[in-house]
Amino acid sequence: QVQLVESGGGLVQPGGSLRLSCAASGSIIRSYAMGWYRQAPGKQRELVAHISSGGSTNYADSVKGRFTISRDNAKNTVYLQMNSLKPEDTAVYYCNTYSLNHASWGQGTQVTVSS
């Protein structure tokens, strides 16, 4: 079974940037569409970006123009570059397959945007 480990979160000021990484093990990811999700306190988990096996991307309206999803299949890793961060981006960020049949959810990585 594929296991996913997120990293790269932290505390950042409004307007700052972070790059999140999602490392996969147990399976290769190049045949899968992958997504980044986030969950803020008291809210449901939401999809923020996804990337197809061929590299096409889509973004939630709330992050368009600020976030960039990418993948390096040779490294079995998916990335999320986050720029111009806002307090409302504060959440735990998770990666998973963009599919009805997700892998098990990992621990995620906390992103806190605050001054």
Side-chain angles (χ1 to χ4, degrees):
Q1 303 86 0
V2 62
Q3 293 181 310
L4 302 166
V5 179
E6 303 92 344
S7 63
L11 175 64
V12 65
Q13 297 181 73
S17 298
L18 286 172
R19 180 182 288 267
L20 307 184
S21 297
C22 171
S25 63
S27 182
I28 58 173
I29 66 167
R30 68 169 168 256
S31 296
Y32 296 91
M34 299 293 295
W36 281 97
Y37 305 77
R38 68 186 182 188
Q39 187 167 27
K43 298 182 179 179
Q44 291 188 324
R45 183 157 45 213
E46 64 174 338
L47 177 69
V48 299
H50 65 96
I51 184 167
S52 74
S53 60
S56 63
T57 59
N58 284 277
Y59 301 90
D61 288 342
S62 59
V63 306
K64 283 181 180 177
R66 301 188 297 118
F67 290 11
T68 303
I69 187 171
S70 61
R71 65 194 299 159
D72 187 338
N73 290 334
K75 296 181 178 178
N76 226 28
T77 302
V78 183
Y79 304 94
L80 186 68
Q81 178 67 47
M82 306 186 296
N83 299 325
S84 302
L85 283 161
K86 304 174 180 179
E88 48 263 48
D89 295 318
T90 296
V92 179
Y93 284 71
Y94 304 87
C95 65
N96 214 315
T97 54
Y98 180 63
S99 170
L100 292 176
N101 297 315
H102 294 302
S104 296
W105 295 97
Q107 295 298 308
T109 186
Q110 176 72 52
V111 172
T112 303
V113 185
S114 177
S115 59

